[in-house]
Amino acid sequence: MKRIAALAIGFLAAAPASASIALFTDGRSMKISGYKLVDDIAIQLTFKNGGAMTMPLARIERILDDEIVEIEKTPEVKKMIEEGIFPKRSWRYDAARGPIFRSKYDKLIVEAGKKFDVDAALISAVMKAESDFNPREVSNKGARGLMQLMPATADRFGVVNSFEAKANINGGVRYLRWLLDAFEGNADLAVAGYNAGEGNVWKYNGVPPFRETLTYIRRVQAQAGVPVPHQTAVASVSSGAALSAERN
């Protein structure tokens, strides 16, 4: 989740949020001021009052930037979220749509796409956005491998070694299939769920308004080569006028 596919979303991906939200595997969430990996199996969370807590990384489902786009103040972005930017079509495997990028993982992408019935182009777009095809990629939040699986997600989908390419791809594609099924084939919601978690998609009854998630959806859409139906919406958000960090 490092590279920006289009200049229009550069601002969205630039300034870091002043706080984050840690989502735990038991369904709880907690606002934190910072975090850092202690080692391969532990993470330290810090709080606004200066306190800190170290816990097993496996207890963290994901960590999100706690920065919200004010949707009601930006009609173009509201329309983009409500109508989506991915075509309303099947995202099941189709031999006519193979991986977009020429990588040494194309064969594994196709195999996983066939096995779990997920569009190979979408898989390769997610992989490009997540790790840029680096099987040893480790994010500062602890996500690992080609599809950037958090330890809890890897365990959920039966991945023992996230640095083993085939296992990581299969785990990530199984998750995409699960999300596509959960959201009735809606790619916008499935991709949002891959970033923000399905719980947040259900919580907001649609694409969560997190700056990070909106940026991520646009990035995957651009990598997938899908035309953008609402260019003005992307431009409006990237101007900065539409952004504010809501704090509860």
Side-chain angles (χ1 to χ4, degrees):
M1 295 182 280
K2 300 183 301 180
R3 293 169 174 78
I4 303 304
L7 181 61
I9 55 172
F11 183 88
L12 272 175
S18 59
S20 301
I21 304 172
L23 305 179
F24 299 98
T25 55
D26 63 4
R28 295 182 302 120
S29 64
M30 178 185 297
K31 292 197 175 187
I32 57 176
S33 61
Y35 54 88
K36 67 176 181 179
L37 294 177
V38 176
D39 53 34
D40 289 345
I41 61 173
I43 189 169
Q44 183 183 74
L45 308 180
T46 56
F47 310 108
K48 289 183 178 181
N49 63 7
M53 175 174 60
T54 299
M55 64 172 56
L57 184 59
R59 289 186 56 196
I60 303 291
E61 179 191 324
R62 68 192 72 233
I63 296 175
L64 294 168
D65 292 342
D66 183 21
E67 190 160 354
I68 304 292
V69 175
E70 292 189 87
I71 303 301
E72 295 302 323
K73 293 185 179 181
T74 52
E76 298 90 348
V77 178
K78 182 178 180 181
K79 182 177 181 180
M80 181 179 72
I81 289 177
E82 291 178 346
E83 297 184 5
I85 60 175
F86 283 88
K88 301 299 187 288
R89 64 169 180 80
S90 171
W91 290 94
R92 295 187 177 278
Y93 179 77
D94 183 345
R97 276 181 59 83
I100 300 168
F101 307 95
R102 291 185 177 180
S103 80
K104 64 180 182 179
Y105 303 108
D106 284 1
K107 182 179 178 181
L108 294 178
I109 290 171
V110 170
E111 288 177 354
K114 287 182 179 178
K115 183 175 183 178
F116 301 109
D117 200 16
V118 178
D119 184 277
L122 179 62
I123 297 169
S124 62
V126 169
M127 189 182 298
K128 175 71 173 178
E130 290 285 351
S131 69
D132 198 20
F133 303 103
N134 179 3
R136 305 298 300 179
E137 183 72 29
V138 179
S139 77
N140 63 346
K141 299 174 181 179
R144 300 168 180 172
L146 290 164
M147 299 293 282
Q148 287 291 276
L149 304 179
M150 290 293 285
T153 305
D155 182 66
R156 175 181 172 186
F157 291 99
V159 179
V160 176
N161 180 3
S162 288
F163 296 117
E164 199 279 306
K166 183 175 181 177
N168 188 286
I169 293 171
N170 282 349
V173 176
R174 281 187 67 189
Y175 189 24
L176 279 174
R177 176 72 268 154
W178 189 94
L179 290 164
L180 285 165
D181 288 342
F183 300 118
E184 300 180 339
N186 186 310
D188 288 86
L189 299 184
V191 173
Y194 200 93
N195 173 259
E198 58 271 16
N200 274 315
V201 177
W202 285 321
K203 175 182 177 180
Y204 288 98
N205 195 30
V207 174
F210 299 118
R211 173 178 59 86
E212 173 186 337
T213 301
L214 295 172
T215 300
Y216 181 77
I217 294 172
R218 175 63 181 87
R219 181 162 53 212
V220 172
Q221 171 271 327
Q223 300 288 12
V226 178
V228 183
H230 308 304
Q231 292 284 1
T232 54
V234 177
S236 176
V237 176
S238 64
S239 70
L243 294 176
S244 73
E246 285 190 358
R247 300 290 178 260
N248 295 327

